[in-house]
Amino acid sequence: MDDAVIQTDGLTKQYGRILAVDGLSLHVPRGRIFGLLGPNGSGKTTLMSMLLGLVRPTAGSFTLFGKPPEKGELERQLHRIGAIIETPAFYPYLSGRNNLAYFQGISGRGHPGELDEVLDQVGLGGRGGDKFQTYSLGMKQRLGLAYSLLGDPELLVLDEPTNGMDPAGMAEVRELIRSLGGENRTVILSSHLLNEVEQVCDSVAILSHGRLIAQGEVAELLREQGQAQVRIRTTDDAKAREILTALAWVDSVSAANGYLVAGVAPDRSWEITAALSRNQVYVAEMTPVQMSLEQYFLDITEGESV
Ligand code: ATP
């Protein structure tokens, strides 16, 4: 497809007897925040390393920005990509800004005039002069993101950017990542945290043992599950259960934790209320239940030793 920033075809990496990435065919559309979700050891880092030319594939192929990474081309492609594969080794005694200047000088990414701009972009504008060692974990990771933004890359490749952070730092970095994605910038974010992908990403590929298990829009994967449910409490739950069970458009009715759970799309809530009140049963509480990606992930990896 022509809007793909990354397209892989049967991409494979074998380390001795370990198949780290196993025949992966992946489509990463432009302008999306794309999640690579999988437990530790599922092949996320290996996949990203292949895409960045750091690891040579055993088999299969891929394109970046529509072209294979052939000799000469790869260098041009890498200039359009910002990446954090491991936490960058910044110097503790240098300020954030001087660290950026130092690594910018070594790598030649972007230009010195950009430093203040990228610091502002990650919310470190006021703290760029402070020593790196005085930064919180969230700020350290944001400085890493500032480095990856040098040269205004079209694609950001972020490998587990919130790893090891406390909840406040995670929230900070997730919000920033969401703001960095957009029409002109694609973000590929790997994570073993299901709720992170759910919060940050538009599309997701789920990996297990180097294989692709599912791929698609986060919202669509959930919708496809067809698990729309509403949770209800009424003036007479036993009678309500009988009434709802008799309705052809209600898929299932069960009782859990003092509530009735009916398998029905939330937009039919008013019909439930109407059906019950016709029988003198009145709704005290009704809430739509959205299945989380976590449940979906657990369901589809069920039986695998993840
Ligand atoms: P994590 O989040 O723990 O890094 P991951 O999903 O990124 O997990 P990879 O790091 O890509 O997974 O590892 C996939 C598999 O390949 C693992 O079994 C790992 O042990 C193996 N592997 C990765 N790199 C090498 C290597 N250089 N030599 C041998 N085996 C490797």
Side-chain angles (χ1 to χ4, degrees), residues 34-46 48-49 83-88 137 140-142 145 156-165 169-170 173-174 177 187-197 200-201 207 297:
F34 189 93
L36 269 185
L37 175 64
N40 290 336
S42 54
K44 305 180 298 293
T45 304
T46 305
M48 288 179 155
S49 303
I84 304 184
I85 290 285
E86 278 164 12
T87 317
L137 257 181
K140 286 177 177 168
Q141 197 60 313
R142 281 193 276 147
L145 282 164
L156 280 183
V157 177
L158 308 175
D159 192 13
E160 306 251 7
T162 64
N163 219 3
M165 286 189 174
M170 281 179 168
V173 169
R174 285 175 188 161
I177 293 170
V187 179
I188 173 161
L189 163 82
S190 89
S191 179
H192 63 278
L193 299 173
L194 312 146
N195 68 335
E196 179 161 288
V197 167
V200 179
C201 303
L207 299 187
F297 180 68

